[in-house]
Amino acid sequence: MKLVRIGIVLGVILSGVFVTFYGGSIPYRLFYFFLAIPLLCFFYTLYVYLRFKVFQSVGHKTLVKEEAAEYTVQVGNEDFITYENMKLIFYEDYSVIQDVKNFCEYCLMPGEKKEYKTTVLCKYRGNYPIGVKAVQVTDFLHLFHITYPIYETCKVSVLPKIVDLGACFFLEENIDEKRVSTGISLEQPERDVETRPFQNGDDKRMVNWKVSAKYQELLIRKWTGVSKREVTLLMETLSYDQEDPIAFEDRMLECILAITYYCVKQNTLCHVVYEQEELRQQDIYDYVSFDTFYQSTSTIFFRGKLPMEQVIANYPLLENQVAVILTATVTDSLLEAVGEMVSENIKAVILVLGEKASEQKPVVAGAEFLFLGEGVDLRRALEEGDVV
Amino acid sequence: MKFWYEKGVPLLFSIAVALQEIEWMGLQFSPAVPVVTGLFVMLLLFLSEKKQWNVLGAVCIVAGILVFLFYYKEIVPFEMYHLFVGIFALQYFGMSALMGFVYVKFGCSLSFIAAVIVLRFYKVEIQPFLLMFLLFFAITSCSEFVHVSYYKSKLDSRRTLGMLPVFLVMLLVCMLLPVKDTPFDWSFLTDPVTSAYQSVRALCEDVSDSIRGEGSLFSYESAGIGNEDESTLGGTLEQSDRVLLKVKGNRSIGHAVYLNGSISDTYTGAGWKKDAVKESTKECEYKLAAQEIAYAMNTLNYSTIEDEIVMQERTLDLKFGRMRTKTLFYPEYLNTLSFTSKGADINDDTVNILFKRARKRNYEYRVLYKDVNLYSHYVTDYLKTLDGFEYPAGELRDYAENIKEKYTKLPDSLPEQVVELAKQVTKDEQNDYERMKAICGYLKTLNYSKDVDDVPENTDFVEHFLFDTRKGYCTYFATAAAVLGRSAGIPTRYVEGLTVPKDCEQEDGYYLVDGTCAHAWCEAYFEGFGWVIFDATPGYGEEGESVWTKKEFTFHYKEEPVKQPVTPLVTTDVAEEEDTVKNSRFEFWLLCVVAVFAVVILVVLVRVYRYGKRKQTQEEQCRFAFGVLLFYCRKLGFTLGASETLMEFSYRVQIGLEQFDLDPALLEGASLEEASEVYLKLRYGACVAEEEDLKKIMKVVESLQKIYRKKYGKVRYWMVHIESYLLRGVV
């Protein structure tokens, strides 16, 4: 409303000239009138801001990245004066409110309330406020737009999304348990078709009643352990100078979550090792432990000091384990450390999550490298072991 | 709420303008009349809104009877009142019509503000209520304009109603802020230090005045802020240098001007009292004095005197400085008073003209007076001849007798040696004028001194001055002159006031009259002339006659119209001028009414145009066209009967039209029955209107139009055509 502004400025100037040369009620009151307008407009916006009511709520306090959640915003005028123009300004860096244009601007009559239900989509994991960030109040002549912050923001914890892998390219082969003594787990028993006579101490639930009836002897199923490699995921939490650090962090966590979730599904014991002021290990062996780790991902910070080679050096890996190293870049020292790991019969898989893949693919015999830069389809990359 | 807004605002507007009109037109209406009338109109509108027709009718009848009984005789005979009522109604309906049009309202509000400014240029003040309303209307319409322009939607009147508290706060602020009659002083920006200093000083003085309870009457000793009816003279004098008064003349004065402040008549032996001057006469004293001087000038035939200026009409603009008093300062031979600043409430019954409330700095007024050349030998010769003169019987004679009786009294305690001295000084003089001159001459031989001891108790003030100290300041000389004059049998009085010396310091064209200009002098009365100043103080009243010679007379200031509005006291010329102003205001107002009327018509036309332009469905068009058809039938004398069906009506019209003996070609292809069938089909048959249906009806309408034109001529046809156009919504 430039015209109104110009009009008021002209009014002030002309009435000022008028009152400079003429006394009396008309020049003075006109002068006061034009002077009072901008002042009153300002105080009006302040008053409206102080009296304006906005309520917002989200379906859950913990959301999952890129999953829509219910979001309700309610604005109200419980006053006796009209709120000429209110514009809600939303947090847009981390979250997106659907159809925001339909309800971001209002003129509220006295006693009027408006409620809008929509969805919110969080773009990144972490703890941050979503919804209304500030309110822009415009006066009744549209002279000023004054933006006031909202102090009671709606804070949510956003968890990274879980990519459900159908397969994982580096976890498909089982090892011969006869040849190894460490780095395997037997947690997932499978039924053997063979039977043996029941012995004291055997679990009655394991009795094969059909065969026992046939042979008139209490026979019990034979069970054989299936050997699987334990997986250790080593996550680098250095703060790299990335263009979009949050996206990088999310990618790394999603990658870890995808692998751990796959491991849980496959009953493969896995450990996640990462630095949070100190080196921390989290064992994931079932859904409960996975969920514990998953819930903690929203608070993992990437301000570590240990580069990956030092993490490897500080964490003792066992023979035959699969060591999945998640790092931003591949350095010579890391390659050396990986070389040592391979020499200790540890399967090393290096997932490089930097923004750009290096031109020359590093080669360490026995180790697998996979670049998971920005825009890479995680599912496909992890299932097939190649990035297209 | 919408009702109260759309009807209430025009009502307020009408009441505000009506109150202004009452003032401008000088109507004898009480201000309560438009208010009550407005509320009554509001009640009627409310009842009509609620469709309470019976109550409405009853209220109208009762009100009508009451008006007829109580006001008929007063209202009907005067055309002005008719006009007033007409204007009131026109305003109301005009404004009501405006309420629906945001853009027009905005334009009107701007024009109102422009009109107010124009009025100010014509020095026409408008009432604060009207001004406030116009400002309210301006801000409301501007806000609505902005709202509609921004949201591109129709205005919800709830929105404006919700804004009313905000606008009212703003108007309250505008109302409460101080308004001056002088232009705005920007010195607080241009010279903030001095301005702040002056403000603080003024504040301190105000506080000081309030604490001391001063601010009533002028007195010499307190230099502007005394409060005694009786003064005790004597003692050392300390005069302040603060500016008490600013004086501007319309032309070069060239000699000292004496401004009367406080006039006393009774000498007590220790000072002066105001006894006789407090008694009011039938006519204002200053007007009687003006009559006396006019009589004297006519007798002198002063206009025929060519070698000397005997008398000049002069104007002085007086502006209060750092002084707070009820005293109105005026020069001798005052003619007219007019007040530049607000507040013309004065008490001029006595010779001491007083404001009813104390005035303070920047209060401004104007005096028109006759500046008489008391040094002219024509005047002095005339004064010398006035011994024994008496006015013919009448008001002036009574006035003179009264003066001679009261202004010659002396206290019994007056020492004999004072009287003896007076006789001795005046023994060789032939007339009163020369006696007074001799007394002044004698007194001027005494010493002037501000450092004087107090008069001892039980000692006569004049005796102490004349025989003991033989020194004093103006009050001593003035008192002595007055007492010696009375001792010689001449009516005299003691006057305290301010003198404007000819070499007075100036600022912005004003002479600055400070505390050192406070002065006292004596005046002697001459029947046939009036009061004449005799200043016995050494150094005063000794200007030569040269300033009055015509060849040296020069205009110092140009005759300029005064910027400020002047509230004149009633004099014949001023009254005529006032009538002229009133007439011009009336004409101006009539023009405004015409303009409002024009706006109303414009609004109606715009509304009709917009209604016509709106998008209509085929069915609406058909219904409207059939309405027009019936309208033309009615105009041709065929009205649909109450029990008549449309088909019967069509048949009757068809037969009737044939009787008009018209050209058969006019009706060719048009059938009223067919049109009626179409309408009935649409109205009751739940059919969808088609273009063909509309064409059928329109064909009949066109035929009827042709018939009407043929029968009644083009002029009437066009009038009816416009009527049909205007009644689109109704038909």
Side-chain angles (χ1 to χ4, degrees), chain A residues 4 18-20 22-24 26 28-33 40 44 81-82 84-85 105-107 109 140 142, chain B residues 116 120-121 132 143 146-147 150-151 159 162-163 166 170 174-175 177-184 186:
Chain A
V4 183
F18 192 32
V19 83
T20 305
Y22 294 91
I26 295 170
Y28 270 84
R29 299 226 188 278
L30 275 178
F31 183 55
Y32 293 147
F33 175 71
L40 193 78
Y44 169 81
I81 65 168
T82 306
E84 167 64 20
N85 183 270
E105 200 169 357
Y106 308 91
C107 171
M109 304 298 167
F140 51 88
H142 292 246
Chain B
V116 164
R120 178 61 189 83
F121 284 126
M132 285 299 111
S143 164
V146 170
H147 179 87
Y150 185 78
Y151 286 104
R159 182 254 170 208
M163 282 294 172
V166 182
M170 190 163 87
C174 288
M175 280 287 279
L177 287 171
V179 169
K180 289 180 184 173
D181 298 308
T182 49
F184 194 79
W186 293 96

Side-chain angles (χ1 to χ4, degrees), chain B residues 181-213:
Chain B
D181 298 308
T182 49
F184 194 79
D185 183 11
W186 293 96
S187 60
F188 70 94
L189 285 179
T190 53
D191 189 4
V193 178
T194 313
S195 172
Y197 169 72
Q198 283 177 349
S199 300
V200 171
R201 192 175 157 185
L203 184 68
C204 292
E205 282 171 5
D206 283 351
V207 171
S208 163
D209 287 351
S210 334
I211 291 168
R212 285 190 294 179

Side-chain angles (χ1 to χ4, degrees), chain B residues 249-255 309 312-314 371 511 546-559:
Chain B
N250 66 331
R251 54 180 69 166
S252 171
I253 298 170
H255 61 277
I309 299 168
Q312 272 183 332
E313 291 271 357
R314 287 187 188 277
D371 195 8
Y511 291 112
S546 61
V547 292
W548 291 99
T549 53
K550 282 191 174 174
K551 60 180 180 182
E552 291 191 10
F553 177 77
T554 51
F555 283 94
H556 189 65
Y557 297 101
K558 284 181 181 175
E559 291 279 5

